[in-house]
Amino acid sequence: MATKRLSPTANLLRNSRLFSLPPQLPSPTHNLTATSNYVSDTATIPYPTHAAIETPQSSLSRGDWGLKRPLPLKSTMSTSTPSIRVDAVDSIDHITDFKSSADHVLTLRKFQEMGLPISMPEASRRRGASNINTVWLGPPRSVFEADVDNREAIPQNTSKDQQRWKYKGPWLPGQTYGEFEEYINKEIKRRKFEFQRFLRERLLERKATARKREAMERGEEFASSTVEISEHEFKSYVKSLREGQSELNALVRQFLDLPPSPSPSDRASGSTSLRSVYSDQGPPKTHPSAGLSYNRTNSHIQNHPILGPQEHKSPVQGRILQPQNYARQESRAMVGVGGIVTEDTESTVFRMRSYDSKYVPGLGRFAPDIPGGAKLWVQPKQASVDSAGRIKLHYDRAEKNTVTIYEEKLQEEPLPEVTKGYDRRVPDLAPSPRPTAGGRMAYGLDRSGDQALPFGNDVAPDVTQEALLDMMDSLSDRRGQ
């Protein structure tokens, strides 16, 4: 049976990106070298692999999601966050295979409500280092800085540390033996003669630079077209490269455009540069911001509708997922903030008592008697995305006064005078008995009796110009005293 041919317009629309879903991203892999891996089919993966689709409420009631066929209302109308991810638009059973994508959609909305900028990923912890010194190694830097947000090598930058996040070649330390063999057979062997031409160009540049330096010392002009290399010089150059592997490794990495590899010197010195971070973890698959936030800094003030500008932003209530374990040497509680699991950096191996200032019920031990579970008020500070696509969130404990403000307990727990703003010397705005166009009371600066103008009731007295000048002179004399 002959298949039905499509018209050119239908074929164009079918293959267009406007009428097709983006391809699925590869699922996150697990660490095969780990002693134990905890895998769950229902757990939320670190990053989304499918595009989330939403539809207006008018189309949702009809099951219209812009796909080939309408979706059943029973599975799409029973949730308060209707968004789906499509595994197959038209499966072998002629159905649309879809699931809910509310997990990643809500995580994105919660993260954007916190208003955090994305910083560069932090360096890996060194073995034997204390937890206090490895929380943040160096000040945070935005991923949108001009010297960091680069996809191509900068020709003018001749330094060893090229600040880049995009490379053409793979990260070799993250490949398995089979993947490395496949990369050698498919990509490396066929570029043998291309690499030889690359070495000839480097040798020609080196020889031209040396000739130019000699010509400058003699005060003569230099023409680069006169520089040539012989076959004997090229073989001697290749032999010298094989004897010294450091220069050969640099040329191979430049030719294949490979990401930096782990360096013992960076680990020993504790370097926190972008090169050392990506050499230990590998470069990111997408932009370091991952599209979560486009803010470059966290320097903005939140304005309270009653109390005015605040020193701290509105706190976020996190849920204590795993209390502190005192049996382990490095024990920190795990807290969920905005759908992101992070460590509580202020929890230590010492058991907190109820009279401690930083004591939180349910943080030191499991407390099933707390209604709704144990929670913790925090102030999110920094966030970054590692090479595996996981969000790393860091926070500080929220101040008591800040929590009191946003818990709306101003009547139960009075705030200090500084928080209320009573220390601000601003004249009060009160009704002032001065005449207006309508003959009513007007609002202005409240003056004391000796500084008030001699206006009574709502009628302006008959005051001459000389009397007004005398009153202004007397007021200036009093202020000068």
Side-chain angles (χ1 to χ4, degrees), residues 162-417:
Q162 287 279 351
Q163 304 292 312
R164 298 169 56 196
W165 61 269
K166 183 70 173 180
Y167 297 88
K168 297 180 181 178
W171 186 53
L172 299 182
Q175 287 186 332
T176 61
Y177 181 78
E179 292 174 346
F180 180 73
E181 287 291 332
E182 184 180 1
Y183 177 68
I184 292 293
N185 296 328
K186 290 185 177 181
E187 300 293 336
I188 304 300
K189 289 185 176 181
R190 64 181 181 87
R191 303 183 65 182
K192 177 181 178 180
F193 298 101
E194 184 181 354
F195 182 64
Q196 291 180 356
R197 290 194 300 269
F198 173 78
L199 293 180
R200 289 181 181 273
E201 293 175 358
R202 300 287 83 80
L203 177 59
L204 189 63
E205 292 178 0
R206 175 186 293 187
K207 190 174 181 179
T209 304
R211 293 282 183 86
K212 184 178 181 180
R213 188 183 299 110
E214 294 176 358
M216 292 177 61
E217 293 176 356
R218 295 193 301 264
E220 300 176 355
E221 295 184 359
F222 171 75
S224 58
S225 59
T226 59
V227 180
E228 297 180 356
I229 56 175
S230 61
E231 190 67 22
H232 178 71
E233 290 178 343
F234 178 71
K235 291 182 179 180
S236 301
Y237 176 65
V238 174
K239 184 178 179 180
S240 62
L241 290 178
R242 292 176 178 176
E243 293 177 355
Q245 297 183 359
S246 59
E247 184 180 359
L248 179 59
N249 293 338
L251 291 174
V252 170
R253 184 177 294 110
Q254 181 182 359
F255 174 73
L256 299 176
D257 197 14
L258 298 176
S261 301
S263 175
S265 59
D266 294 340
R267 294 180 177 178
S269 60
S271 176
T272 59
S273 63
L274 185 63
R275 178 181 181 276
S276 62
V277 172
Y278 288 162
S279 63
D280 291 338
Q281 305 176 6
K285 304 298 187 297
T286 61
H287 190 272
S289 66
L292 292 175
S293 174
Y294 297 97
N295 298 332
R296 298 189 63 173
T297 178
N298 202 19
S299 301
H300 55 274
I301 300 177
Q302 186 165 353
N303 191 20
H304 194 273
I306 299 177
L307 304 177
Q310 299 296 310
E311 180 182 2
H312 303 285
K313 298 180 182 178
S314 57
V316 179
Q317 195 173 29
R319 183 179 298 275
I320 301 176
L321 304 177
Q322 178 180 337
Q324 192 175 357
N325 185 8
Y326 301 101
R328 298 177 55 186
Q329 183 177 2
E330 297 184 2
S331 175
R332 293 183 181 181
M334 306 301 294
V335 181
V337 181
I340 305 169
V341 180
T342 181
E343 292 182 347
D344 183 66
T345 57
E346 297 189 15
S347 60
T348 60
V349 295
F350 300 101
R351 188 181 298 273
M352 293 184 179
R353 304 300 179 182
S354 58
Y355 51 80
D356 294 338
S357 59
K358 294 185 178 181
Y359 173 77
V360 178
L363 189 63
R365 63 177 63 182
F366 179 64
D369 55 337
I370 300 179
K375 297 181 178 62
L376 174 68
W377 286 97
V378 299
Q379 290 277 358
K381 294 296 182 182
Q382 299 172 202
S384 62
V385 181
D386 62 3
S387 301
R390 294 179 173 86
I391 304 175
K392 303 294 183 180
L393 180 67
H394 290 258
Y395 64 83
D396 294 337
R397 298 282 184 87
E399 299 290 340
K400 183 178 180 181
N401 297 334
T402 307
V403 176
T404 304
I405 292 175
Y406 292 97
E407 276 189 329
E408 299 181 356
K409 295 182 179 180
L410 301 180
Q411 303 297 333
E412 302 177 5
E413 301 181 9
L415 298 175
E417 303 298 327

Side-chain angles (χ1 to χ4, degrees), residues 6 13 32 35 50 58-60 98 106 122 128 149 165 169 173 197 209 218 311 333-334 336 386 394 409 453 458 471:
L6 298 176
L13 294 178
L32 301 178
T35 56
H50 297 72
S58 58
S59 301
L60 178 64
F98 69 95
L106 292 180
E122 60 178 344
D149 189 9
W165 61 269
R197 290 194 300 269
T209 304
R218 295 193 301 264
E311 180 182 2
M334 306 301 294
D386 62 3
H394 290 258
K409 295 182 179 180
L453 295 177
D458 289 338
M471 285 186 293

Side-chain angles (χ1 to χ4, degrees), residues 9 16 18 27 66 71 76 142 186 198 227 230 321 368 374:
T9 304
S16 173
L18 183 63
S27 301
L71 300 183
T76 57
S142 174
K186 290 185 177 181
F198 173 78
V227 180
S230 61
L321 304 177

Side-chain angles (χ1 to χ4, degrees), residues 123-131 133-134 137 264-272 280 330:
S124 302
R125 294 181 180 179
R126 301 185 304 273
R127 293 184 179 181
S130 60
N131 294 334
N133 297 331
T134 56
L137 302 177
S265 59
D266 294 340
R267 294 180 177 178
S269 60
S271 176
T272 59
D280 291 338
E330 297 184 2

